[in-house]
Amino acid sequence: MRRPAGPPAEPAPVPDAVLFDRDGTLVVDVPYNADPAEVRLMPGARESVRLLREHGVPTGVVSNQSGVGRGLLTPADVLRVNRRADALLGGLDVWVFCPHAPSEGCLCRKPAPGLVLRAARRLGVAPERCAVVGDIGADVSAARAAGAYGVLVPTARTLAEEVAAAPHTAPDLLTAVRGLLAGVRERVPARPGRPEGEGR
């Protein structure tokens, strides 16, 4: 005999802040981009930021920029690209990035939690009250390490195993943001990722 269904779960609270990955999430991924003229927004990016702003939810960017540590970019290059992206997106509240190469073993490069913790601190928000939205497994892992809520929005660059491992996914950026604002906490079907490759 089947047990009667219990009451529906209460919606989760809207996050106090939403932090986005930059390349492949908010802007088209141009590897080691130093040219602001090359910045192009991902579909739904501006609308997603606008929607959060209208709901009074602070926003930020947490981005690995290993091109600095590899000698391919300068911090000034990254800041120029960030400023252009910020202008196209209509303005976010905080931008932080990790300049280190993977071999440096820093505590800020995703999947380590440092960038998420730093952005949360600058916003005056507890990390566990943040959501992190990104396109690769390192974004979700950084969220988990910081105690935040992670949402994977796969692209053609996302590994299939990253999609399978992510506890929360969305098929596109706007769906992810609308779900966060609605308190959605279930796994949403996402586009399949690429079968193999390596993250940024």
Side-chain angles (χ1 to χ4, degrees):
M1 183 175 179
R2 295 180 61 186
R3 295 181 180 178
E10 289 294 321
V14 173
D16 290 346
V18 176
L19 308 175
F20 297 95
D21 172 55
R22 192 189 81 176
D23 302 319
T25 301
L26 289 178
V27 305
V28 174
D29 188 8
V30 178
Y32 309 122
N33 182 29
D35 184 359
E38 293 291 321
V39 175
R40 299 288 183 273
L41 296 186
M42 291 289 285
R46 184 177 174 88
E47 175 69 8
S48 295
V49 173
R50 181 192 64 77
L51 198 57
L52 290 165
R53 188 184 305 114
E54 288 179 352
H55 282 77
V57 179
T59 55
V61 173
V62 289
S63 178
N64 289 347
Q65 294 298 322
S66 69
V68 177
R70 299 173 196 266
L72 303 172
L73 298 171
T74 68
D77 292 331
V78 176
L79 292 174
R80 281 192 295 271
V81 169
N82 285 353
R83 282 193 293 268
R84 175 58 178 163
D86 193 60
L88 291 174
L89 290 162
L92 288 89
D93 297 291
V94 65
W95 289 72
V96 296
F97 70 93
C98 168
H100 305 110
S103 61
E104 294 183 69
C106 69
L107 298 178
C108 52
R109 178 177 170 81
K110 295 176 293 183
L115 289 178
V116 176
L117 297 175
R118 189 191 314 169
R121 185 166 57 249
R122 288 180 56 180
L123 290 169
V125 173
E128 59 269 21
R129 293 292 306 129
C130 293
V132 179
V133 181
D135 67 314
I136 62 173
D139 300 314
V140 177
S141 295
R144 184 184 301 114
Y149 177 82
V151 182
L152 184 72
V153 180
T155 67
R157 292 179 56 84
T158 312
L159 297 175
E161 54 263 37
E162 292 174 331
V163 179
H168 308 284
T169 67
D172 57 70
L173 192 56
L174 198 51
T175 298
V177 168
R178 285 173 173 159
L180 290 170
L181 290 172
V184 172
R185 284 295 186 270
E186 68 267 18
R187 183 181 173 88
V188 180
R191 293 187 300 270
R194 61 191 173 102
E196 60 183 24
E198 61 182 31
R200 290 183 293 275

